[in-house]
Amino acid sequence: SPDAIFIEDLDGNVLDVNPAACRLHGLSRDELIGKNVSELVPPEHRSSLVDAAAMVDGEVEGYSLGAGNTTVPVSIRSSAISYMGQTAILLQVRDITERRRTEHALRESEERYRLLFDRNPQPMWVYDVETLRFLEVNAAAQQKYGYSRDEFLGLSIMDIRPPEDVPGLLESIKQRDRSWFRAGGWRHRSRSGVIINVDI
């Protein structure tokens, strides 16, 4: 298994491990057997072991002491097994360093998008191309069109087009003509009815 496997007694003492556990901690099998699993976790993160010990067929995230006393983020699964005629606990420990990096990069990307979207001085929105309903709008759009965010999210693209333009829009959609979807010059209507000439 690519996951580190530990078999421990009910007091948390290691009875057996697989090669992945040795690689995770940078210790031999003989060095690991007999250790208490709490010794393999950074002191400030030992509550994750308590959570794992209290759990059956679930998963918690915590930290493990890696080779060279590094701190490694891990997910821990715990289950009761029979081992050598006694009740024991099997811990399945997975290194989730790469997953954490990916999650961190995704959060940073979302924060950059949010910053660019929310603070853009030009009206911006996201809408569903099937239903044409607004999914998100920025503050500049709210100010320019006179709708609150909640009001915008109750509208569709058709609601901000002048009434005389809506039949053409509906016909384009019916004919699967995507010209309405592309960039270009269009006419919009604010909440107060003012016509706004826009370039998308």
Side-chain angles (χ1 to χ4, degrees):
S1 169
D3 295 337
I5 303 295
F6 299 82
I7 298 173
E8 59 177 77
D9 64 22
L10 298 180
D11 293 320
N13 300 308
V14 177
L15 303 173
D16 207 352
V17 295
N18 71 346
C22 299
R23 290 193 296 273
L24 175 64
H25 295 289
L27 298 171
S28 69
R29 179 173 176 271
D30 288 341
E31 289 172 314
L32 285 170
I33 290 176
K35 279 187 179 291
N36 191 279
V37 290
S38 63
E39 298 175 65
L40 304 174
V41 176
E44 65 273 23
H45 296 295
R46 286 181 181 159
S47 62
S48 62
L49 262 186
V50 174
D51 292 340
M55 169 192 62
V56 177
D57 294 328
E59 183 176 337
V60 296
E61 291 190 1
Y63 294 87
S64 185
L65 278 174
N69 283 330
T70 56
T71 298
V72 180
V74 294
S75 68
I76 307 166
R77 283 189 166 273
S78 172
S79 55
I81 62 168
S82 177
Y83 177 79
M84 304 288 286
Q86 62 177 309
T87 300
I89 302 296
L90 184 143
L91 288 181
Q92 181 180 355
V93 181
R94 176 171 296 176
D95 183 340
I96 57 171
T97 302
E98 200 53 44
R99 187 170 89 192
R100 288 281 179 87
R101 281 197 193 108
T102 301
E103 289 170 351
H104 179 70
L106 181 60
R107 279 196 301 273
E108 285 191 333
S109 175
E110 288 173 345
E111 286 167 6
R112 282 196 299 272
Y113 156 76
R114 177 59 59 189
L115 191 66
L116 289 171
F117 183 83
D118 284 342
R119 297 189 182 179
N120 196 300
Q122 298 297 328
M124 297 181 72
W125 51 64
V126 178
Y127 68 91
D128 186 312
V129 294
E130 298 299 327
T131 67
L132 307 185
R133 298 195 74 81
F134 291 104
L135 302 175
E136 190 58 87
V137 295
N138 70 355
Q142 295 168 53
Q143 182 176 7
K144 181 74 172 178
Y145 288 78
Y147 294 103
S148 70
R149 179 178 177 276
D150 287 343
E151 287 171 330
F152 250 121
L153 299 188
L155 302 176
S156 76
I157 290 292
M158 289 186 291
D159 295 313
I160 62 164
R161 299 291 286 269
E164 60 272 23
D165 291 0
V166 171
L169 172 62
L170 291 174
E171 186 60 29
S172 294
I173 294 170
K174 182 179 176 183
Q175 298 298 325
R176 299 188 181 277
D177 173 5
R178 306 299 275 182
S179 62
W180 62 270
F181 177 72
R182 293 193 292 269
W186 304 100
R187 297 196 320 151
H188 285 172
R189 187 181 63 154
S190 72
R191 182 178 184 177
S192 65
V194 172
I195 299 300
I196 308 168
N197 293 304
V198 300
D199 186 51
I200 303 293

